[in-house]
Amino acid sequence: MQSHRITAVIYAAAKLNLAEAIGADAKSAAELAGLVDADESALRRLLVGLTTLGLCRQADRDRFAMTDLGRQLDEFADPSFKDWVLFEGEMLLQSWSGLVESVRTGKTATQLRGDGDDRYAATRNAPEWTRRFNAAMVSLTRTVVPKIVAAHDFAAARVVMDLGSGTGELIGGVLHHNPHLVGIAFDLARCEAEAYAHFDRLGIADRCRFVAGSFFEGVPGGADTILMKSILHNWKDDRCEVILRNCRDALPSGGTLIMIERIMPELAMAKTEDRSCAMSDLNMLRGPGGCERTEAEYRRLATLAGFAFVGTTGIGSFSLVQFRKVGN
């Protein structure tokens, strides 16, 4: 019942830039209060709370240091989850307060507000939401990329497209680890500038281009492999069918489709991985309106769209599910 307090404490630490202020050495509450513009006594109480969560270490009664876990709240850490923490604390937490209404009605937060069916369309004119969302997705995707390139052999591929690429974290990582590949990042136009800046930083701008568009209207051709990470779980079955058919139309005969999604258990149990998936499923109920699915449900959707199942590989909390286009 008190988990929301933990979220609030971690969010407060990220918002106050405590990890950056503490740095590598222990500092006193008085020193930190000046650095982050906070009340000394109140800040010390927050630091004690962070210590009980394993994010801080109390060097003595009044001096605190960050633990290895806590350092991940630093925006310059590798990995850094600061953007995800800010997204969770500022945007997702507010949405979850309406869970009862979503369970009663089956409607998303956007639908209950009367803003339509598409959360992404409803937020197209909210640049701060888009920036925070993209930054949060980058921090999450960055931790999964090494597992993806280790789990799938891209040797036979030549051109890989990342569908719903955002600012290009996934396609950038795949190309960085596979110098023979050419990449296509496909997403809404609002992601283009940041994607090209990211490609420049990685030194792959000559091998990766951004194409703006909507995967509901069509998917550009030219790729022999299509990646989709955390795309289908955003949408109901009928919308997923449109996306998958457009992917099939874009691929050559025998082309590869790779879904990277959480896989719901057929029978849920009281264990960490099942809870993580179930919480994500409820987040989809409140948010975009999709759901987490079992492997059988993903296989059915892909088969209906003209794909043959190849195999599934576990990659931590996600799974890599591979399909092959059937026919021409």
Side-chain angles (χ1 to χ4, degrees), residues 101-118:
E101 288 76 12
S102 286
V103 172
R104 286 190 189 280
T105 64
K107 295 181 178 180
T108 68
T110 303
Q111 291 170 329
L112 288 167
R113 289 196 304 268
D115 293 335
D117 294 335
D118 188 341

Side-chain angles (χ1 to χ4, degrees), residues 84-253:
W84 182 268
V85 169
L86 294 174
F87 180 63
E88 188 82 37
E90 292 177 3
M91 294 167 183
L92 293 189
L93 189 61
Q94 296 175 23
S95 175
W96 274 70
S97 66
L99 181 60
V100 171
E101 288 76 12
S102 286
V103 172
R104 286 190 189 280
T105 64
K107 295 181 178 180
T108 68
T110 303
Q111 291 170 329
L112 288 167
R113 289 196 304 268
D115 293 335
D117 294 335
D118 188 341
R119 180 183 71 174
Y120 299 100
T123 58
R124 67 164 51 99
N125 295 319
E128 176 57 23
W129 189 96
T130 299
R131 189 196 69 78
R132 184 70 76 202
F133 175 80
N134 283 339
M137 294 304 107
V138 165
S139 66
L140 181 61
T141 300
R142 189 170 290 159
T143 66
V144 182
V145 169
K147 298 174 183 177
I148 293 172
V149 296
H152 183 76
D153 185 1
F154 288 91
R158 290 294 173 265
V159 182
V160 177
M161 179 189 302
D162 182 8
L163 199 78
S165 62
T167 57
E169 187 68 27
L170 175 55
I171 191 66
V174 170
L175 264 62
H176 181 70
H177 286 86
N178 294 274
H180 72 285
L181 289 178
V182 172
I184 302 171
F186 181 63
D187 209 321
L188 300 175
R190 64 192 181 192
C191 299
E192 183 171 0
E194 285 191 57
Y196 274 123
H198 182 58
F199 300 155
D200 283 335
R201 287 193 296 270
L202 290 178
I204 60 167
D206 60 329
R207 291 193 289 131
C208 196
R209 61 189 175 96
F210 187 97
V211 177
S214 166
F215 43 54
F216 292 117
E217 297 172 4
V219 174
D224 53 66
T225 301
I226 293 179
L227 294 172
M228 289 193 296
K229 179 193 169 293
S230 301
I231 300 298
L232 295 183
H233 80 150
N234 288 309
W235 308 101
K236 293 181 179 179
D237 284 2
D238 58 339
R239 302 282 267 170
C240 288
E241 289 168 11
V242 174
I243 297 170
L244 289 169
R245 288 196 195 99
N246 286 340
C247 286
R248 188 187 184 281
D249 291 343
L251 284 169
S253 179

Side-chain angles (χ1 to χ4, degrees), residues 25-86:
D25 300 317
K27 289 183 174 66
S28 69
E31 183 180 2
L32 287 169
L35 291 171
V36 303
D37 189 25
D39 177 83
E40 178 185 342
S41 176
L43 180 61
R44 186 183 181 281
R45 293 162 72 175
L46 178 66
L47 288 162
V48 170
L50 291 164
T51 298
T52 67
L53 296 179
L55 300 178
C56 283
R57 175 177 57 83
Q58 199 165 0
D60 54 42
R61 190 182 183 283
D62 198 48
R63 292 168 63 252
F64 297 83
M66 300 304 294
T67 63
D68 288 343
L69 181 63
R71 288 190 188 96
Q72 295 178 39
L73 292 177
D74 187 328
E75 66 176 308
F76 300 109
D78 184 17
S80 170
F81 290 96
K82 182 174 184 176
D83 285 313
W84 182 268
V85 169
L86 294 174

